[in-house]
Amino acid sequence: MIPPQEASARRREIEDKLKQEEETLSFIRDNLEKSDQLTKNMVSILSSFESRLMKLENSIIPVHKQTENLQRLQENVEKTLSCLDHVISYYHVASDTEKIIREGPTGRLEEYLGSMAKIQKAVEYFQDNSPDSPELNKVKLLFERGKESLESEFRSLMTRHSKVVSPVLILDLISGDDELEVQEEVVLEHLPESALQDVVRISHWLVEYGRNHDFMNVYYQIRSSQLDRSIKGLKEHFRKSSSSSGVPYSPAIPNKRKDTPTKKPVKRPGHEHDFRVKHLSEALNDKHGPLAGRDDMLDVETDAYIHCVSAFVKLAQSEYQLLTDIIPEHHQKKTFDSLIQDALDGLMLEGENIVSAARKAIIRHDFSTVLTVFPILRHLKQTKPEFDQVLQGTAASTKNKLPGLITSMETIGAKALEDFADNIKNDPDKEYNMPKDGTVHELTSNAILFLQQLLDFQETAGAMLASQETSSSATSYNSEFSKRLLSTYICKVLGNLQLNLLSKSKVYEDPALSAIFLHNNYNYILKSLEKSELIQLVAVTQKTAERSYREHIEQQIQTYQRSWLKVTDYITEKNLPVFQSGVKLRDKERQMIKERFKGFNDGLEELCKIQKAWAVPDTEQRDRIRQIQKKIVKETYGAFLQRYNNVPFTKNPEKYVKYQVDQVGDMIDRLFDTSA
């Protein structure tokens, strides 16, 4: 049971909470009443606002529509005024631009082209809207005058700024030396940048708006002249340099010239022109020789032509690069074809002149002159890939010019080789030009020098010979086939030379001198073959050539030795009288011994006198021949002296025993020596 005090406290607590809840409920009820009142007031306000908006809308919409109509009318008026201004402006174009057109585009190209654009638009407007108006004729005439001024400006810019490329710059452009550590690239600037930009702008305008392609003819004529003059200037540079200093400026010399107008370091493409024909012409410059009469200027002309060919390729490449910026794409190939014709025709004509000169030289047996064809032909064939690349897109007649020249040079070169071989075989000079001392004949030295030159042009000479072959093997031409053809040719020349030498040797009345002559020539041929590596080329088709020449040399030495038999036969044992020791010699026996001594002495003196004037240029061979002969004679004479040393065959022994053994040896040591 709960105590009365706790129950009373509990009741008071509940009554307090109830009172608080009643107060809260009363507060909420008051707030709800206020909210309802506010809602009613807001609804009243919104209703009033809506009514006012409707009234405002009914008032504004008509005003807005009227304003739109007014704005549209204003825009139409402005457009009409603008159109009128635009149309009226066409009537003022002629007067506004006439002064600019009359003064021309020089120094004001942008402004000038802007005026031309205005004139063109005026022409188009009048043609479309008023084709019969006098204004159309006026702006047309002004447009034509402006176009003519632009064409004139194009010509003027090209003429003023197109300069001939200097020979020094061309040489730097085409030169090459792989050993140079610092290499530079030569940049050709045909036109200054500002002039080039103006030329490009004018050309594009003339194509797009001027409907005129005459400027392309102007372009190729001017550039063609500069290209041709540049190449001719290079050739003249070689001539002047040769006449003044003897040596033209060589780009291979690693010295940077201060007057070389280059922008970047020189890049050398590696064109080598290391042909060696000058020493041949010097060696063969004898009016009696089969390779005689070669002009020293040929070396300069040959070198100049080779450089001009390389210059044409480089300059043509540069011209095409310039042309692509100025000439429309579909006209570039045709314009380039026309541009290069004069320079290319000049090179081809000069090449044909070289062929013609070679043909005449062959007729007069001046084969050293023909050798100029070899380095030129080699260079043309080396340069042909670049030529073909440069001439891509040109006419077939243009592309075929270089192959035609190459064919002509191969044909004339092959004829020169064949005629040279025939000339070696049939050289008629047997009597008047024979060396009296039996030394090497100039025909031999000329032939060997000529063949040595072919070593520098093996592929070229092989191609010449192959070009004349009609066999099936010639169609499958390769380097091995070329080498075999050249080897066969060299063997043919050597064979012809040997036959001619045998024929010439018969001119000598003395068989010993004939043998010395053949020995000297055979030995010279063999040593020259070995020294110049011709022997390896000969061995391609003649494996035993070296051994054969050595056998010929030995055979001639043996023939020469037989000339001493008439001396040694007097003192050989088989021809000596037989007598008994201690028995007094009879007069007949004494006389026979005297005759043996006299015959030996006279023969020795005569041979030494005669053969002293003979020549064996090869020191090794000369010593060898002396030693062999000295050994034979000394042994025979020594035995002879020993046999009769104590035989009283005369009261005056010094009259017959004129020489001791060593003296005989000394006399033989002085053979082939005119200074002894």
Side-chain angles (χ1 to χ4, degrees), residues 228 231-232 235 305-306 308-310 312-313 340-357 376-377 379-381 383-384 387-388 391 396-409:
D228 191 40
I231 294 176
K232 288 179 179 177
K235 184 176 181 180
Y305 186 73
I306 286 176
C308 286
V309 170
S310 295
F312 172 81
V313 173
I340 62 173
Q341 284 303 314
D342 286 348
L344 181 59
D345 287 344
L347 286 177
M348 295 302 105
L349 177 60
E350 191 171 351
E352 290 298 339
N353 289 339
I354 292 171
V355 172
S356 178
I376 292 174
L377 177 58
H379 184 70
L380 289 179
K381 297 180 79 170
T383 314
K384 187 176 181 299
F387 248 97
D388 293 341
L391 300 182
S397 58
T398 302
K399 294 178 182 177
N400 293 334
K401 287 181 179 179
L402 179 64
L405 179 59
I406 289 176
T407 300
S408 296
M409 286 194 171

Side-chain angles (χ1 to χ4, degrees), residues 510-516 556-570 603-604 606-608 610-611 614 625 629 633 671-672:
D510 191 335
L513 181 55
S514 178
I516 288 295
Q556 298 308 318
I557 292 176
Q558 293 173 10
T559 301
Y560 162 76
Q561 289 174 346
R562 285 197 287 272
S563 68
W564 282 84
L565 290 177
K566 63 182 180 181
V567 176
T568 57
D569 278 351
Y570 283 104
L604 175 66
E606 182 184 1
L607 277 186
C608 287
I610 293 173
Q611 296 184 8
W614 295 356
I625 293 173
Q629 200 58 52
V633 176
L671 295 178
F672 318 120

Side-chain angles (χ1 to χ4, degrees), residues 517-556:
F517 171 77
L518 291 175
H519 164 273
N520 285 334
N521 282 272
Y522 292 156
N523 183 66
Y524 177 83
I525 293 171
L526 177 60
K527 292 296 179 65
S528 299
L529 293 179
E530 293 174 336
K531 185 185 298 184
S532 65
E533 300 180 358
L534 274 169
I535 195 68
Q536 286 89 339
L537 198 53
V538 170
V540 172
T541 54
Q542 294 291 337
K543 304 293 184 183
T544 62
E546 185 175 3
R547 185 180 68 187
S548 176
Y549 273 109
R550 295 192 187 282
E551 291 174 353
H552 288 320
I553 292 170
E554 290 302 317
Q555 181 181 353
Q556 298 308 318

Side-chain angles (χ1 to χ4, degrees), residues 44 50 107 145 234 242 402 418 420 446 448 489 573 656-657:
S44 176
E50 182 180 5
R145 187 191 304 172
L234 177 63
S242 174
L402 179 64
E418 291 302 318
F420 179 80
N446 288 347
I448 293 300
Y489 171 77
E573 187 173 352
Y656 297 98
V657 186

Side-chain angles (χ1 to χ4, degrees), residues 236-248 297 300:
E236 188 63 25
H237 170 77
F238 272 84
R239 289 176 176 171
K240 289 182 179 178
S241 298
S242 174
S243 61
S244 60
S245 63
V247 180
M297 283 303 294
V300 177

